[in-house]
C-alpha cells in the first residue's frame, strides 16, 4: 500500500502558505505540520508563538492577507490604549489575536504543554491537519548583531531586521527533544514525503533541524525530502532571508538555500525566475511557479511538491 503521511516543516508567513495548499490537497489525517518555536517569546506577560499562530490562522482561513500575520478583520483598541498609557506597543497584538495569547498563557500556567494547547485550539478553529510544535521544550532564537546578542523578536520586529546578522544561536536547543508525535510519525514507515516549506532557512527551518535527533529522524524515515525555495529571482518575497544570507557570507540565491540544506534534500522546487542559475544542487530540481498569491497558487504548488516527492519515491 502506498505511504500516506506528509510531514511539512514550517515557519510562519511563507511556510503557512504552502501548509494551507497541502491541507487543501490532502485528507486531514495525512498532513502533519511541524511548527518552528524558536521565534516564541514572552511579552506583556503572555506566551506568544508567532509561527504556530500564523499557521493556525492560515489553516483556519482567518489569517490577515494584507500582513501575512495576525487575524483578519482585526481591531486595535488594546494596542492603541496600551500605547497611550506609555506601554510597550512595538509588537502589534490585535484584539482578536490577543485572546489566543491570553488563553494559551492561562493554559500553560495550568501545566498544559504547548502541543496540547495548540492541538486543542486548532480543533476549536476547525483545523483538521495536525500542527505540532517542533518541541515542547523551550528553544529561543538569538541574533548576534554589531551591538551583541539580542532576542529574535527584538531583531525582527522592534528593530525591523536592521541589525547586520553575524551569527545565530538557538538557546536551549541542545536539551530540547523533538516532539514525540513527530518522531513517531517519522518512524511509522508511512511517510510519503517530508516537505521543507518556503520559510526562512536560518530562523524558521534550522531551529527545527537543530533539535538533536530531528535531522537523523527525517533521514531515517526513508521518505523523499523536498524543499521549496523561499528565494524567487534572487530575492525574498518578504522578510530578511536574502539580507541574512548576504550578511552571513552566503550567496543570496535559490542555489544558496539548497547548499545550506545540503544532503538533507532529495528534491528542490525552484521558481522559473531562478531556473538559469540553479546548476547542480545535489537534489532533483523541479522548475515551477513558486509565488503563492492566490489560493489556487497554494494548491498548485502543493501538488507540484507532492508530485516531485512521489517521483523520487518511485525510483527508490
Ligand atoms: P516567518 O517565520 O514569518 O519569517 O515566515 P517564514 O520563515 O515561513 O517565511 C519567510 C520566507 O517565506 C521568506 O524567505 C519569503 O521569501 C518566503 N515566502 C513568502 N511568500 C512566499 C511565496 O509565495 N513563495 C515562496 N517561494 N516563498 C515565499
Amino acid at each position: 500500500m502506498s505511504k500516506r503521511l506528509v510531514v511539512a516543516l514550517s515557519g510562519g508567513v511563507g511556510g503557512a502558505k504552502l501548509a494551507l495548499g497541502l491541507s487543501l490537497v490532502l485528507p486531514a489525517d495525512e498532513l502533519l505540520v511541524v511548527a518552528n518555536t524558536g521565534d516564541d517569546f514572552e511579552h506583556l506577560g503572555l506566551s506568544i508563538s508567532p509561527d504556530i499562530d500564523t499557521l493556525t490562522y492560515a489553516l483556519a482561513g482567518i489569517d490577515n492577507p494584507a500582513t501575512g500575520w495576525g487575524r483578519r478583520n482585526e481591531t486595535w483598541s488594546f494596542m492603541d490604549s496600551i500605547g497611550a498609557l506609555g506601554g510597550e506597543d512595538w509588537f502589534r497584538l490585535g484584539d482578536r489575536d490577543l485572546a489566543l495569547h491570553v488563553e494559551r498563557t492561562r493554559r500553560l500556567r495550568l501545566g498544559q504543554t504547548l502541543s496540547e494547547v495548540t492541538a486543542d485550539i486548532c480543533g476549536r478553529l476547525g483545523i483538521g491537519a495536525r500542527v505540532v510544535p517542533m518541541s515542547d521544550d523551550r528553544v529561543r532564537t538569538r541574533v548576534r548583531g554589531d551591538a551583541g546578542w539580542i532576542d529574535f523578536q527584538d531583531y525582527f520586529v522592534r528593530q525591523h531586521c536592521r541589525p547586520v546578522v553575524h551569527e545565530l544561536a538557538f538557546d536551549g536547543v541542545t536539551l530540547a527533544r523533538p516532539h514525540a508525535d513527530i518522531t513517531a510519525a517519522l518512524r511509522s514507515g508511512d511517510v510519503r514525503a517530508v516537505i521543507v516549506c518556503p520559510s526562512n532557512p536560518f530562523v524558521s527551518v534550522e531551529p527545527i533541524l537543530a533539535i538533536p535527533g530531528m535531522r537523523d529522524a527525517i533521514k531515517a524515515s526513508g521518505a523523499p525530502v523536498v524543499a521549496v525555495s523561499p528565494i524567487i529571482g534572487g530575492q525574498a518575497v518578504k522578510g530578511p532571508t536574502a539580507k541574512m544570507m548576504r550578511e552571513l557570507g552566503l550567496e543570496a540565491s535559490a542555489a544558496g538555500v539548497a547548499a545550506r540544506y545540503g544532503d538533507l534534500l532529495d528534491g528542490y522546487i525552484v521558481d522559473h525566475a531562478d531556473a538559469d542559475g540553479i546548476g547542480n544542487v545535489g537534489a532533483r530540481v523541479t522548475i515551477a511557479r513558486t509565488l503563492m498569491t492566490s489560493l489556487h497558487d497554494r494548491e498548485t504548488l502543493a501538488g507540484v511538491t507532492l508530485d516531485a516527492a512521489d517521483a523520487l519515491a518511485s525510483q527508490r
Side-chain angles (χ1 to χ4, degrees):
M1 218 176 76
S2 58
K3 300 186 179 186
R4 296 170 61 248
L5 196 59
V6 174
V7 177
L9 314 186
S10 178
V13 175
K17 288 188 193 175
L18 188 66
L20 176 59
L22 289 166
S23 78
L24 295 171
V25 300
L26 291 168
D29 63 346
E30 294 185 10
L31 177 61
L32 188 159
V33 183
V34 178
N36 169 44
T37 59
D39 294 8
D40 290 14
F41 74 130
E42 290 68 40
H43 182 61
L44 303 175
L46 301 171
S47 297
I48 299 180
S49 297
D51 287 353
I52 290 178
D53 297 344
T54 299
L55 278 163
T56 303
Y57 295 148
L59 292 171
I62 55 172
D63 57 317
N64 184 332
T67 54
W69 52 268
R71 287 185 66 153
R72 69 178 58 175
N73 302 323
E74 192 54 283
T75 55
W76 300 95
S77 302
F78 172 74
M79 273 289 112
D80 293 346
S81 305
I82 200 165
L85 295 171
E88 292 200 58
D89 60 359
W90 57 271
F91 192 88
R92 307 288 295 161
L93 295 170
D95 299 330
R96 290 181 170 79
D97 187 28
L98 186 61
L100 173 51
H101 309 306
V102 169
E103 181 54 14
R104 172 192 293 124
T105 305
R106 182 184 76 83
R107 295 194 201 180
L108 291 174
R109 285 195 186 136
L110 287 175
Q112 291 185 29
T113 61
L114 181 61
S115 53
E116 287 167 350
V117 178
T118 303
D120 184 69
I121 287 173
C122 284
R124 285 172 191 271
L125 293 176
I127 298 170
R130 269 187 293 167
V131 177
V132 182
M134 63 188 197
S135 177
D136 275 329
D137 301 319
R138 182 189 164 96
V139 178
R140 293 291 181 270
T141 298
R142 307 254 300 156
V143 178
R144 187 168 67 79
D146 286 331
W149 288 99
I150 52 174
D151 290 339
F152 179 72
Q153 295 300 343
D154 188 356
Y155 160 80
F156 194 65
V157 180
R158 199 203 305 246
Q159 301 195 47
H160 305 282
C161 308
R162 277 189 297 261
V164 171
V165 176
H166 298 298
E167 198 181 345
L168 294 158
F170 310 126
D171 276 13
V173 81
T174 52
L175 296 176
R177 293 150 301 176
H179 192 281
D181 289 359
I182 302 169
T183 41
L186 291 171
R187 272 199 220 108
S188 67
D190 194 27
V191 184
R192 175 180 171 191
V194 176
I195 308 293
V196 181
C197 289
S199 289
N200 185 316
F202 310 101
V203 297
S204 291
V205 179
E206 287 185 2
I208 301 175
L209 298 176
I211 298 178
M214 188 72 90
R215 212 175 161 116
D216 289 345
I218 291 171
K219 275 283 178 199
S221 74
V225 182
V226 179
V228 177
S229 172
I231 298 285
I232 300 182
Q235 296 186 341
V237 178
K238 197 169 191 285
T241 303
K243 175 176 179 283
M244 256 183 205
M245 291 187 89
R246 288 189 292 270
E247 291 167 356
L248 291 168
L250 306 165
E251 184 190 295
S253 66
V257 173
R260 185 79 187 182
Y261 289 140
D263 67 0
L264 182 73
L265 299 189
D266 300 302
Y268 193 43
I269 315 293
V270 172
D271 196 84
H272 293 285
D274 303 292
D276 282 348
I278 193 67
N280 182 358
V281 294
R284 166 104 58 89
V285 171
T286 302
I287 307 295
R289 172 184 158 89
T290 66
L291 184 65
M292 292 172 281
T293 310
S294 65
L295 210 54
H296 181 253
D297 293 336
R298 288 161 171 73
E299 272 192 74
T300 306
L301 186 56
V304 167
T305 308
L306 292 172
D307 287 348
D310 291 345
L312 284 160
S314 71
Q315 287 167 0
R316 290 192 164 179

